[in-house]
Amino acid sequence: MSRRGPGRLAAVASVLDQAASSATNILVLVLAARLSSAAGFADFSMVYVTFTVLLGLNMAYVGQTLVLEKDPSRLAAACRSGLAFTGAASAAVGAVLALLGLLLPGATGWAFLALGLVLPLVLLQDGLRYCFSALRAPGRALAADALRLACVVSALLLQPEGAPAGRLVLVWGVSALPALALGLWLLRPSVRGAAGGATDLRPYLRRGYLGQRFVVEFAVGNGSSQLAVLGLGVFATPLAVGALRGATTLFGPLNVLFNSANSFGPPVVGRASGKRGVVRLTALMGGALAVTGAAWGAVLYALPERAGRELLGDTWQAAAALLPATGAQYAVMGLGTCALLTLRVLNPKATLSLQVVFSLLSVGLLLGGYAVWGVAGAAWGLALGSASKAAAGWLRVARLPAPEAAAATTADQVRAA
């Protein structure tokens, strides 16, 4: 089999794994909504949002640094250390959540107590995905996540209608055990008795650890998007906010591709030779994602109104008017995603300033666009913000010195000294 064969299979497995993980999150919310009362689902949603934030923080702090590990001799130790830190940190945070649950009254308290008890299970199971990505074995991650999807759906379908939020959270968390056991069994041959050092948690606690920058990026990116929604909700009508959310929701499948590129792209791209090889590969990926985003937007825009109402109900008419702007936004987001991926591989510290500046710029453009042209202006403001981030990202890539040039500069400086 040629080199391209295994590489293509790994890319397909990575996308399918991300799709399985996303489908799990979507189906959990859908099933919980069907089983719960309105008040019960509100409690479940509050707890699930808390889990989603903690999941993103763990992904940024541990997962992103793990997939950037380039030394094959260090991978086994890095995986062991990453899982050990995830287990210790999630147990500590879980204890705090359990204590909070004991202090809160009623069903909300029981739901947070349940989250505290199962948090180490679900975070460790998700953390295995990054170990398999770093080891270039996404097929193993896909096997574990497919089992996770089957177990959680089956477990929730067995629950009675009207089940309290605490029970649903507990069932959702415990159903991760089979996938966690399978993942650990599949990981064991790659990390057992391997060289590269012992399990070490100290790097995660040191000042200047790379994951600290990624946590700030995550906080700024997610915080700015929430701030944009809150700000628009203050000035706009509920219909405008619903239309913008509805249009964005229709592009959910593309979020799977973008998340897959961000989370599992570095080990694949890191195989390319030198800056030129990395840029060539990520530029092709960015072009493919951009074309996919534009094509998906065109398909949605061409949908008949009856089909659109099946998707979004009464929100369809307002959301359909925003599809050209949202399609353009997702097209340039494909380019921007691959620009950030390039920087992650070549110079991981170069992404923080871009995320901070252009996430805040997108908020300003959204609110400014709404003030001038209404909800359509807000959608085009988001598209312009994404285009600006993509352009700035590729400009930063172009300015990065090639490894050979950087080495020559360092040698000249040493000789001069």
Side-chain angles (χ1 to χ4, degrees), residues 333-358:
M333 278 175 64
L335 295 171
T337 296
C338 290
L340 292 175
L341 173 60
T342 309
L343 292 172
R344 283 280 169 89
V345 173
L346 298 177
N347 185 10
K349 294 184 178 181
T351 57
L352 177 58
S353 59
L354 281 174
Q355 292 280 43
V356 171
V357 171
F358 288 96

Side-chain angles (χ1 to χ4, degrees), residues 77-128:
C79 290
R80 292 194 299 262
S81 300
L83 287 178
F85 180 82
T86 297
S90 59
V93 175
V96 173
L97 289 172
L99 179 60
L100 176 63
L102 292 174
L103 296 176
L104 291 173
T108 303
W110 285 111
F112 274 101
L113 175 61
L115 177 62
L117 294 176
V118 301
L119 186 67
L121 298 179
V122 290
L123 286 187
L124 277 172
Q125 193 274 321
D126 187 80
L128 286 169

Side-chain angles (χ1 to χ4, degrees), residues 136-214:
R136 298 174 183 174
R140 300 180 190 178
L142 175 59
D145 284 333
L147 179 61
R148 167 65 169 147
L149 174 60
C151 288
V152 71
V153 170
S154 301
L156 288 176
L157 285 175
L158 292 175
Q159 301 311 303
E161 189 173 348
R167 174 172 175 165
L168 294 179
V169 172
L170 196 62
V171 168
W172 158 76
V174 173
S175 66
L177 272 173
L180 175 60
L182 175 62
L184 291 173
W185 181 72
L186 291 173
L187 181 68
R188 187 181 179 188
S190 300
V191 300
R192 183 181 58 180
T199 302
D200 187 7
L201 304 186
R202 290 173 297 177
Y204 295 96
L205 305 176
R206 290 173 184 160
R207 186 176 181 180
Y209 168 63
L210 189 59
Q212 295 167 4
R213 300 177 68 91
F214 294 156

Side-chain angles (χ1 to χ4, degrees), residues 297-380:
V299 169
L300 292 173
Y301 191 69
L303 282 179
E305 184 174 352
R306 182 177 179 180
R309 286 185 176 275
E310 290 291 330
L311 292 172
L312 292 180
D314 292 338
T315 308
W316 167 255
Q317 188 172 2
L322 306 182
L323 288 176
T326 308
Q329 178 193 355
Y330 272 81
V332 293
M333 278 175 64
L335 295 171
T337 296
C338 290
L340 292 175
L341 173 60
T342 309
L343 292 172
R344 283 280 169 89
V345 173
L346 298 177
N347 185 10
K349 294 184 178 181
T351 57
L352 177 58
S353 59
L354 281 174
Q355 292 280 43
V356 171
V357 171
F358 288 96
S359 294
L360 296 178
L361 176 64
S362 293
V363 174
L365 290 172
L366 179 145
L367 298 177
Y370 179 79
V372 179
W373 294 294
V375 65
W380 282 110

Side-chain angles (χ1 to χ4, degrees), residues 57 60-62 64-65 208-217:
L57 290 174
Y61 199 79
V62 180
Q64 284 295 303
T65 55
Y209 168 63
L210 189 59
Q212 295 167 4
R213 300 177 68 91
F214 294 156
V215 164
V216 175
E217 289 186 26

Side-chain angles (χ1 to χ4, degrees), residues 217-232 244-245 329 358-360 362-363 366-367 382:
E217 289 186 26
F218 171 80
V220 170
N222 283 265
S224 64
S225 62
Q226 296 301 320
L227 178 63
V229 173
L230 291 174
L232 188 61
L244 195 59
R245 280 187 175 275
Q329 178 193 355
F358 288 96
S359 294
L360 296 178
S362 293
V363 174
L366 179 145
L367 298 177
L382 285 176

